[in-house]
């Protein structure tokens, strides 16, 4: 059934991350790699069905503000990951370099 304290910690972590995302979002728009950087015309693109999307930790930027978020990979190329994460009921999507992403434990 799970430990009640572990559930409270997970909930507190989610709230803390959500507050961090909202604070970072005040510094500017979410940054994403460009089509030129992604080389979409010359690279294969993988789009993952919902049951194959992996949980990750990823570095993203809102304007100049960098923050690490819990996200999921929804698409990828050999050099980049298309990620998705949520805060305050809003879904954020962006492309980040592959080395900015680490599989969650």
């Amino acid at each position: 059934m799970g430990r009640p304290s572990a559930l409270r910690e997970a909930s507190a972590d989610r709230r803390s991350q959500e507050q961090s995302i909202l604070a970072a979002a005040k510094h500017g728009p979410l940054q994403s790699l460009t089509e030129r950087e992604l080389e979409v015309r010359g690279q294969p693109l993988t789009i993952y069905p919902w049951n194959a999307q992996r949980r990750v930790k990823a570095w993203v930027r809102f304007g100049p503000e960098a923050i690490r978020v819990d996200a999921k990979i929804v698409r990828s190329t050999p050099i980049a990951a298309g990620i998705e994460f949520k805060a305050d009921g809003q879904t954020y999507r962006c492309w980040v370099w592959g080395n900015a992403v680490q599989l969650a434990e």
Side-chain angles (χ1 to χ4, degrees):
M1 182 185 281
R3 299 183 342 241
S5 61
L7 294 175
R8 278 194 301 275
E9 287 175 21
S11 180
D13 286 347
R14 279 191 301 277
R15 281 193 308 275
S16 175
Q17 175 174 271
E18 189 168 297
Q19 290 171 347
S20 297
I21 291 168
L22 296 174
K26 293 178 182 176
H27 293 274
L30 178 62
Q31 303 295 304
S32 186
L33 299 175
T34 65
E35 283 188 28
R36 181 176 171 213
E37 291 169 318
L38 291 170
E39 300 175 352
V40 290
R41 286 188 168 77
Q43 300 288 330
L45 172 68
T46 302
I47 299 174
Y48 301 100
W50 70 271
N51 60 344
Q53 295 172 359
R54 305 282 306 267
R55 293 265 170 217
V56 297
K57 292 207 173 274
W59 285 100
V60 300
R61 287 191 179 277
F62 286 92
E65 184 75 17
I67 183 173
R68 194 166 191 211
V69 298
D70 293 324
K72 59 184 176 178
I73 295 180
V74 294
R75 55 191 58 190
S76 68
T77 71
I79 60 172
I83 63 167
E84 182 176 285
F85 58 99
K86 296 181 181 189
D88 197 31
Q90 182 175 349
T91 300
Y92 295 90
R93 293 179 182 92
C94 66
W95 282 97
V96 297
W97 294 117
N99 63 355
V101 177
Q102 182 179 28
L103 287 176
E105 296 173 8

